[in-house]
Every structure is written in structure tokens, then in C-alpha cells.
Amino acid sequence: MSIFTVITILTVLSAAFAFINTKFLKLPFTIGLMIIAICFTLVITIAGSFNPFILEEANLIIDSIDFETALLDIMLSFLLFAGALHTKIDGLKKQRMPIALFATMGVLISTFIVGTLMYYIVQALGHQIDYIYCLLFGALISPTDPIAVLGILKDANAPKKLETKIVGESLFNDGVGVVIFLVIFKIAQQGVGAIEASEVGLLFFEEVVGGIALGLLAGWLVFQLMKVIDHYETEVMITLALVMGLSSLAHLIHVSGPLAVVVAGIFIGNKSPKIAWSETTQNYVDKFWELLDVLLNAILFVLIGLELLIITINGEYITFGLIAIPVTLLARYLALSGPVALFKKKLDFIPKTNLIMTWGGIRGGISIALALSLEPNMERELFLTVTYIIVVFSIIGQGLTLGPLVRRVLKKG
């Protein structure tokens, strides 16, 4: 099946599901699309039991899509830039220390809590597994997904200070989370003795610091270009070229592309409206990236729903998935506790900040993409199923109840 045919099918399905949600369900956009996509997949599965041809064709489409490459190498950069472009630096500056700790130490601590708890739970239930593979699962499930978070927070009416923390953390922690995942993945492949601590530190430094530095440099250069012209069509094209070029260059020189794109997006979004862009240019740039964000979000969440077709469904895996939900929530709560306690009085956090940030830590496509990148001997099928269950619960369960939780806490506070 050609790439154009696959893209066409996904776009048509996304548009149809978006219409159904807008006209009838009226749920938050990303949640509605994913629910409809899962229902659509279940209908296909049931129909396939009567007519195998239907299921074969559906599986052919899913097999034609490299979800990991589609998300991590193509869609992620555009979605992160769109989110970063509208993130105001003033709020980030005030919250920079807790956000930095949430996105680094928070992800690392959560990785080890999830990995350790799952190792003992899985072993206790009679499934033999290596500890390093459980750590890999901890690394892929710990980062919150900025794509899911940004979409859901728009409908939750969270206070600006809280929204800045959650969005700021989610924009940066996926880049850090991917680096931690890659380090553990390398150890799992080569063995603990094959990699020295200095190597791990150097890789982390190169990816994180290199990504931030590249993003700042690219953002500054593009800002200088746009400052000397006033032509909205060209300036929209320049922002598009920035994202595509930056992603490719980051991959080439082995630094974090997601972090580079986020930093460049924040730089451009905060500097350009005041100095480089006319009002017309700003309007067109905002609308272009808003539309691209909506389209790619729609396709992504339809894809997540359709991925149900490739998940291994058995009682043991489902049990582990259901157990993993409270484990990951507990790990996130504990990982956030330190930074929240440290900065609570100084930065005047709203009541129950840790609880809301724990529940607002939505997992999404990034976790599924990383689970798909596991090798078969790393318990790929088990962790893919467990990850899918957590992501579905996170987006639908946490996503639908985040707004009411925020309102209830603020009312009591």
C-alpha cells in the first residue's frame, strides 16, 4: 500500500471522526477522536470475525504505518513546535526551577520506581523477567506526553500558574525521557559491564545540552532572518523550514531533536511578535501552526486508537496493565513530591498541586512509539499491551476528569 493511500485513509478517518465528535459527542477534541477510533477498531474486529477479509485489510493498513517513525521522527517536531510557539517565557522563567526538576529528576526517579515495583509485581505473579527490561518500561512510561497534555488542558480551565508547570514540564520531559530510555536501551543491549558511567553522562550531556544549544542558535538565526523582511508567506515558510531542518540536523549530529525544537519554538514565539513580525504575519503564523497542530493531533489520536489491532490481548497482559495504572500514578506522585515541597511556599503553589499534576500527567503516543521500538526479547509484546492500557486510561480517564478535579480543588481551596 502506497504512502499516499495510507495518509489519505488516515486523513479521511480523522475528518470523519472529528465531524462525529463535533456534531454529536462534543467531547474534548483529542479524547473524542481516540474514543471513536477505538470503537471503530472494535467494530472492525467484530466484523472481521464474520468476514476475515475486513480484518486482513485493516491489518494491512496498520502494518503499512511505522508508528514509531511517524511519531518520533516526523509528527513530534511539528506538534512540539506548535505548542512551544504559544508558551510564554515569563511564566516559564518564574517556574523554571521546579519545571527543570520535574522534567529531569522527576522522570529519572519515576523510571526507577515504576521499574522496581513492576519487576517485583510481575515476578510475584509468576512471570519471569529481567530487571533491566522493567527499567526500560519505567523510562518509556514516565514522561508525560506534551501532545496529549496541551490538547486536554485547553478544555480543563486550569489556573495559568498550574498550566505553566504542567505544559512546561511536558514540553521538556519527553526529550529527557527519550534520552533516559536510549541509555537504558543501550545497557539492555550490551550489558551493564559494557557501558561506563562516564559514557552515560556524556550521552546525556550531548543530547540534552546539545539539543538546547542547537535550538537557541537556530531560533536566533531564524529570528534575525524574519526581522529584515515583512512578507507573511515567506515567514510562515521559514518557520516550517526551521522545524524540518532542525529535526534533521539534530538527528545527524546526535543531539535531542525534541528539545531543540521546543527551545527554538519558545524563542521564536516570544521574541518575534514584539520585534520581527507584523500583526498580519503573526496572525498567519499562529493560524498556520494552529491548523497543523489540530490536523496532526487528529491523525495521531486516530492512529493510537487503530493501534489496538496490533496489541496482544490476553488475560495476563491485561492484568499487568491494570496493575501498572496505579503503579505509574504512585511513581509520578512520589517523583513530584520533592520539587513541590521545595518550592511550594516560595512560588505560591495552588492547593493540591502534586495531586493535580499527578492526574494531569497524561501519557500518550510517545510512550507507545517507544514501546514499539523495543526488541522482541525485551518483553516487547507484554510492555506494548501494558503501555497501551495505561495510555488509554490516561487520555480518557484522566483527561475527562482533570477539569472537574481542578475545579473541585480550587473550590475547596
Side-chain angles (χ1 to χ4, degrees):
M1 192 172 290
S2 70
I3 293 174
F4 180 77
T5 303
V6 172
I7 293 172
T8 301
I9 291 169
L10 288 175
T11 305
V12 169
L13 286 176
S14 300
F17 295 168
F19 174 82
I20 293 168
N21 182 59
T22 304
K23 178 69 176 174
F24 301 108
L25 297 185
K26 304 188 190 305
L27 290 170
F29 186 76
T30 51
I31 299 173
L33 258 64
M34 191 169 137
I35 289 173
I36 297 168
I38 289 173
C39 292
F40 178 74
T41 306
L42 292 173
V43 169
I44 288 175
T45 305
I46 293 166
S49 63
F50 296 102
N51 186 349
F53 176 76
I54 296 172
L55 201 55
E56 286 169 11
E57 287 298 303
N59 281 319
L60 183 64
I61 295 169
I62 298 300
D63 289 339
S64 303
I65 303 165
D66 186 343
F67 186 90
E68 180 197 349
T69 301
L71 176 57
L72 295 180
D73 294 345
I74 301 172
M75 297 170 71
L76 182 59
S77 295
F78 294 104
L79 290 162
L80 285 176
F81 186 82
L85 200 62
H86 299 104
T87 302
K88 295 307 170 192
I89 204 164
D90 293 340
L92 286 179
K93 276 182 179 176
K94 290 176 186 174
Q95 308 286 343
R96 65 185 181 278
M97 287 307 295
I99 286 173
L101 286 176
F102 291 150
T104 52
M105 293 307 298
V107 175
L108 194 59
I109 291 168
S110 174
T111 295
F112 278 90
I113 294 174
V114 171
T116 303
L117 288 177
M118 287 303 294
Y119 172 71
Y120 286 110
I121 290 168
V122 169
Q123 292 266 44
L125 293 175
H127 188 100
Q128 295 304 307
I129 194 168
D130 291 345
Y131 180 61
I132 193 70
Y133 301 151
C134 291
L135 279 186
L136 265 176
F137 170 68
L140 69 87
I141 206 66
S142 290
T144 54
D145 192 327
I147 302 157
V149 170
L150 285 164
I152 289 165
L153 276 177
K154 287 176 185 176
D155 301 291
N157 295 319
K160 203 66 188 173
K161 283 192 293 186
L162 180 64
E163 186 180 330
T164 300
K165 290 185 194 72
I166 296 175
V167 171
E169 179 208 2
S170 64
L171 281 171
F172 287 100
N173 75 4
D174 68 300
V176 174
V178 169
V179 174
I180 293 171
F181 176 83
L182 291 174
V183 169
I184 299 174
F185 188 88
K186 199 172 179 182
I187 294 170
Q189 277 185 318
Q190 300 179 17
V192 177
I195 298 175
E196 295 181 5
S198 58
E199 269 188 88
V200 172
L202 182 61
L203 175 61
F204 193 83
F205 182 84
E206 282 179 354
E207 288 275 348
V208 175
V209 178
I212 292 170
L214 180 63
L216 279 173
L217 178 62
W220 181 82
L221 287 172
V222 165
F223 169 72
Q224 296 301 322
L225 288 175
M226 293 191 293
K227 201 164 67 168
V228 297
I229 60 170
D230 183 16
H231 189 256
Y232 74 83
E233 293 100 329
T234 303
E235 290 173 86
V236 169
M237 287 174 64
I238 288 173
T239 60
L240 190 59
L242 168 67
V243 175
M244 297 174 77
L246 198 52
S247 301
S248 299
L249 182 59
H251 183 72
L252 193 65
I253 63 176
H254 304 292
V255 301
S256 174
L259 286 176
V261 168
V262 166
V263 170
I266 291 172
F267 187 95
I268 294 291
N270 283 272
K271 293 282 285 184
S272 298
K274 300 171 186 174
I275 302 169
W277 291 341
S278 65
E279 192 176 328
T280 302
T281 297
Q282 183 176 351
N283 187 47
Y284 274 93
V285 169
D286 284 346
K287 293 299 180 188
F288 172 80
W289 282 101
E290 188 180 322
L291 181 60
L292 193 61
D293 183 42
V294 169
L295 175 61
L296 291 179
N297 257 305
I299 291 172
L300 172 61
F301 283 90
V302 167
L303 259 177
I304 292 174
L306 295 176
E307 286 292 311
L308 182 61
L309 284 170
I310 66 165
I311 301 299
T312 302
I313 304 295
N314 70 41
E316 184 186 43
Y317 290 4
I318 291 171
T319 300
F320 291 149
L322 295 174
I323 291 171
I325 292 171
V327 167
T328 52
L329 288 170
L330 174 65
R332 178 163 171 81
Y333 187 86
L334 294 174
L336 295 178
S337 295
V340 169
L342 194 61
F343 295 100
K344 188 174 183 179
K345 290 183 179 178
K346 186 179 177 183
L347 295 175
D348 190 27
F349 284 8
I350 70 164
K352 307 285 185 185
T353 290
N354 198 357
L355 174 64
I356 297 173
M357 286 193 68
T358 297
W359 202 248
I362 311 295
R363 272 78 177 195
I366 290 170
S367 293
I368 292 176
L370 292 175
L372 284 164
S373 72
L374 293 172
E375 294 177 355
N377 65 306
M378 295 175 177
E379 297 280 358
R380 180 180 180 273
E381 294 305 315
L382 165 62
F383 287 129
L384 182 57
T385 303
V386 172
T387 300
Y388 194 86
I389 290 169
I390 292 171
V391 167
V392 170
F393 171 81
S394 182
I395 292 172
I396 298 174
Q398 292 171 232
L400 286 175
T401 54
L402 180 59
L405 175 65
V406 170
R407 288 189 290 274
R408 186 175 177 183
V409 167
L410 291 179
K411 190 176 179 182
K412 283 186 177 180

